[in-house]
Amino acid sequence: MVSRVERGALAEWFWTIDRVFLALFVLLIGIGFMLSFAASPAVAERIGLEPFHFVKRHALFLVPAISAMIGISFMTPRQVRRTAVILLIVSLAMMLFALFFGIEVKGSRRWVNIASLSVQPSEFMKPAFVVVCAWLFAEHARQPEIPGNLFAIILFGIVAALLVAQPDLGQTILTSAVWGGMFFMAGMPWLWISVLGGLGAGGFVTAYYVFPHVALRVDKFLTGEGDTFQVDTAKEAIIHGNWFGVGPGEGIVKRIIPDAHTDFIFSVAAEEFGAVFCMALVCIFAFLVLRGLSHAYKEKNDFNRFAVAGLVLQIGIQSIINVGVNLQLLPAKGMTLPLISYGGSSMTAICVTAGFILALTRHRPEKRAQDRTQFRVTHGLPAE
């Protein structure tokens, strides 16, 4: 335990960090590592690898991921903004590079090779994009003559175009939903919101007719016809687990679920640990999002408010998509469960997101007093 009377970077960090957020992130990371033992051995054996291949790699990925989360949590809001700008520029450049020279997997170019490692740049783009847009929205709120909202719209158009070009419609929907939520929180006129909502709906309809795989997945979801092996086996695993599961390592259906260690790890958890465990896991994600939104609601600094809200929305909406697919409430879409699913890029990027949240929710009394004064001056209220 670090004493309150100690002085230094570590002591200041320990007593100013939101320890509830930190505990939630560590808990989810621990659950993800535990579930890797349940989900990945069957997948490894099916493709001819030794049983604990993915477990070992999952543990290896945790080292840079947790290091990134803790390191970023020491940053000030200004350092968070600068880091996000650099990360966004690099991620967008790598996404553009992937379109021409990246690895093609199932018809999509989303990956690039760096020192024998496969990296998905769009995963790192997401938290950086949220923070930069929060900064643009906040600058416009502080000084209306700064075209921050216009720049945010242009930036969103660039990001969406790159995601569609890969193509990655799932990430496009996730990014659009998070950006739309931040746009709404920034106090945009309902006319703008209606127009952008209409464009979003039009984009989804266009995707249905332009991309055959999108139409196929939507048709399967609506009619139940065609190859529905993935979602059917996922549902069977959930039903087999019943309320309290069949026990760790005792799952049977998990052995035939494609991508059991990534997109369908929730179904593996349901089979071996039961519906009660899965409901508790959903509650953890829900509590994390609600705590973040509650913090954002009380925050006086516009940048911190928009950024924290956007980052927790990103985690929450991604979780909803993953769980919804597993429960057959949404069309099949490959998307990881944050901090739970296997994947180096996804794990590290979500830990970057967690680091941003921890950095922006740290308790800084002097900064809070300055923010309150600035808030009252900006909104024409008398000084305290």
Side-chain angles (χ1 to χ4, degrees), residues 257-284:
I257 299 177
D259 302 320
H261 60 322
T262 55
D263 303 339
F264 291 94
I265 197 168
F266 186 82
S267 298
V268 176
E271 182 179 22
E272 297 206 346
F273 298 95
V276 173
F277 175 85
C278 287
M279 287 189 287
L281 183 59
V282 170
C283 287
I284 293 173

Side-chain angles (χ1 to χ4, degrees), residues 88 127-139 148-149 151-153 155-156 159 179 182 186 303 306-307:
L88 182 63
F129 172 73
V130 169
V131 172
V132 172
C133 283
W135 181 31
L136 293 172
F137 286 137
E139 286 300 302
N149 292 346
F151 289 154
I153 293 173
L155 180 59
F156 169 71
V159 167
W179 184 84
M182 295 174 64
F303 166 67
F306 297 149

Side-chain angles (χ1 to χ4, degrees), residues 200-215:
F204 182 80
V205 173
T206 302
Y208 177 86
Y209 288 103
V210 171
F211 297 104
H213 71 282
V214 174

Side-chain angles (χ1 to χ4, degrees), residues 291-363:
R291 182 173 179 83
L293 293 178
S294 175
H295 180 93
Y297 178 77
K298 299 173 185 176
E299 179 63 62
K300 300 299 182 183
N301 182 282
D302 285 334
F303 166 67
N304 286 8
R305 179 165 67 252
F306 297 149
V308 171
L311 291 168
V312 295
L313 278 177
Q314 178 195 315
I315 294 175
I317 296 173
Q318 183 168 334
S319 303
I320 289 172
I321 293 174
N322 179 277
V323 174
V325 170
N326 278 259
L327 297 177
Q328 289 190 332
L329 298 176
L330 294 171
K333 175 66 193 84
M335 189 168 291
T336 57
L337 187 59
L339 298 176
I340 304 294
S341 298
Y342 167 85
S345 293
S346 174
M347 177 67 69
T348 306
I350 292 294
C351 280
V352 169
T353 304
F356 284 157
I357 294 172
L358 291 171
L360 295 172
T361 56
R362 284 179 61 184
H363 180 66

Side-chain angles (χ1 to χ4, degrees), residues 150-309:
L150 177 60
F151 289 154
I153 293 173
I154 294 172
L155 180 59
F156 169 71
I158 294 172
V159 167
L162 287 173
L163 288 173
V164 171
Q166 289 183 344
D168 192 340
L169 275 299
Q171 297 284 21
T172 306
I173 292 173
L174 171 61
T175 303
S176 300
V178 174
W179 184 84
M182 295 174 64
F183 193 79
F184 178 80
M185 286 183 285
M188 296 301 100
W190 278 103
L191 178 61
W192 282 42
I193 294 172
S194 300
V195 170
L196 291 174
L199 290 174
F204 182 80
V205 173
T206 302
Y208 177 86
Y209 288 103
V210 171
F211 297 104
H213 71 282
V214 174
L216 184 62
R217 290 180 178 180
V218 173
D219 290 342
K220 286 179 183 178
F221 175 73
L222 295 176
T223 65
E225 300 176 354
D227 182 10
T228 58
F229 178 76
Q230 281 186 312
V231 292
D232 287 344
T233 50
K235 182 177 70 173
E236 185 180 346
I238 294 172
I239 294 172
H240 186 232
N242 213 317
W243 287 104
F244 300 103
V246 297
E250 300 298 322
I252 298 174
V253 183
K254 71 174 186 181
R255 299 180 182 279
I256 60 173
I257 299 177
D259 302 320
H261 60 322
T262 55
D263 303 339
F264 291 94
I265 197 168
F266 186 82
S267 298
V268 176
E271 182 179 22
E272 297 206 346
F273 298 95
V276 173
F277 175 85
C278 287
M279 287 189 287
L281 183 59
V282 170
C283 287
I284 293 173
F285 279 110
F287 180 70
L288 190 155
V289 173
L290 291 175
R291 182 173 179 83
L293 293 178
S294 175
H295 180 93
Y297 178 77
K298 299 173 185 176
E299 179 63 62
K300 300 299 182 183
N301 182 282
D302 285 334
F303 166 67
N304 286 8
R305 179 165 67 252
F306 297 149
V308 171

Side-chain angles (χ1 to χ4, degrees), residues 141-142 144 300 302 371-384:
R142 187 174 64 89
K300 300 299 182 183
D302 285 334
D371 291 341
R372 284 197 297 270
T373 301
Q374 181 62 41
F375 177 84
R376 299 182 72 85
V377 170
T378 301
H379 292 81
L381 299 175
E384 293 180 319

